[in-house]
Amino acid sequence: MKKLLSSLLVLVFIVSACGQEETSSEKEKETEKSSVEKADSESVNVDKGLFNVEITLPATFFEGEDINQVVANAKEEGIGEATANEDGSVTYKMSKSQHKEMLADIQKSIMESVEETKNSEDFASIKDITSNDSFSAFTIVVDKAAYENSFDGFAALGLGMVGAYYQIFNGVDAEAYKVEISIQDEASGEVFDTIIYPDALEEQ
């Protein structure tokens, strides 16, 4: 699982022409024409790179990791461009279609993680886990007595991290990022604990 996030990504959609400078007069005219269209115009062909997504992950996201390897891995995975910045952050640039595919992959990974957690012998007190579509809220249904006498609370940390990861890549504003984890007793239906990330990380 990724290192604890103490700061967030800023997801910005930028208009570009495949990241390349247009040199011919014909391409310059096409660029000028497209620049007067609204950024959200459906007439723009995303697959041709007229819309790119730029994502900057803060240095804290890569604590303990080799930044050069992070960049190399991103390029191996087919991300259009990855650049290590002087402050330790990494900026990724990709087409809008690549970004959508990445979000779908993250969503799939989260659902797989949830299923693994529910069925893992390492979290015996956990009976079920549900979430909203944006992964900003999770409910963990547990055997309360078993939960309180175990370390199963670490599952909440994992969910907080993957929820943050999805929201960040989905463009949630840095100041608005929250993941709320509700711990519910299976027998009574009572929510007896609520954990909110990243607040919980700052309290530790």
Side-chain angles (χ1 to χ4, degrees), residues 57-108:
L57 291 90
T60 51
F61 195 83
F62 304 104
E63 288 178 0
E65 297 187 42
D66 182 341
I67 293 297
N68 292 327
Q69 189 60 51
V70 169
V71 170
N73 290 343
K75 292 179 179 178
E76 287 177 8
E77 291 169 7
I79 294 178
E81 183 180 336
T83 305
N85 303 312
E86 291 184 1
D87 63 357
S89 64
V90 176
T91 298
Y92 298 94
K93 292 182 182 180
M94 67 194 78
S95 69
K96 191 174 180 181
S97 59
Q98 284 180 310
H99 176 249
K100 287 182 178 179
E101 183 177 352
M102 181 176 290
L103 280 178
D105 288 342
I106 294 172
Q107 183 180 37
K108 180 181 178 181

Side-chain angles (χ1 to χ4, degrees), residues 1-201:
M1 213 157 299
K2 292 289 183 181
K3 297 282 184 181
L4 298 183
L5 298 175
S6 61
S7 56
L8 308 171
L9 307 180
V10 177
L11 186 65
V12 181
F13 288 96
I14 59 173
V15 177
S16 69
C18 301
Q20 301 295 323
E21 237 181 82
E22 303 290 359
T23 55
S24 70
S25 60
E26 181 179 350
K27 288 184 178 179
E28 287 174 356
K29 290 178 182 178
E30 291 174 357
T31 301
E32 289 173 1
K33 181 179 179 182
S34 66
S35 68
V36 299
E37 296 176 350
K38 289 184 178 180
D40 60 353
S41 173
E42 294 180 356
S43 65
V44 177
N45 190 330
V46 172
D47 291 332
K48 289 185 178 179
L50 293 179
F51 274 140
N52 282 346
V53 175
E54 182 177 287
I55 303 170
T56 299
L57 291 90
T60 51
F61 195 83
F62 304 104
E63 288 178 0
E65 297 187 42
D66 182 341
I67 293 297
N68 292 327
Q69 189 60 51
V70 169
V71 170
N73 290 343
K75 292 179 179 178
E76 287 177 8
E77 291 169 7
I79 294 178
E81 183 180 336
T83 305
N85 303 312
E86 291 184 1
D87 63 357
S89 64
V90 176
T91 298
Y92 298 94
K93 292 182 182 180
M94 67 194 78
S95 69
K96 191 174 180 181
S97 59
Q98 284 180 310
H99 176 249
K100 287 182 178 179
E101 183 177 352
M102 181 176 290
L103 280 178
D105 288 342
I106 294 172
Q107 183 180 37
K108 180 181 178 181
S109 294
I110 291 174
M111 298 310 298
E112 289 175 350
S113 295
V114 165
E115 288 302 313
E116 288 175 4
T117 301
K118 283 163 49 174
N119 298 313
S120 174
E121 293 181 358
D122 293 332
F123 301 106
S125 72
I126 296 177
K127 306 304 178 182
D128 194 17
I129 300 173
T130 59
S131 70
N132 60 3
D133 291 340
S134 64
F135 300 111
S136 61
F138 291 84
T139 298
I140 305 178
V141 180
V142 302
D143 177 322
K144 183 177 180 181
Y147 177 85
E148 292 180 334
N149 289 289
S150 71
F151 292 101
D152 290 0
F154 282 112
L157 172 61
L159 294 174
M161 297 310 300
V162 295
Y165 195 66
Y166 182 85
Q167 287 186 69
I168 287 167
F169 273 88
N170 201 26
V172 173
D173 184 86
E175 300 301 321
Y177 146 67
K178 295 285 181 184
V179 181
E180 181 175 309
I181 314 292
S182 299
I183 313 299
Q184 182 180 51
D185 179 31
E186 181 183 37
S188 67
E190 172 199 7
V191 173
F192 62 91
D193 193 13
T194 301
I195 307 163
I196 298 176
Y197 293 96
D199 298 356
L201 302 179

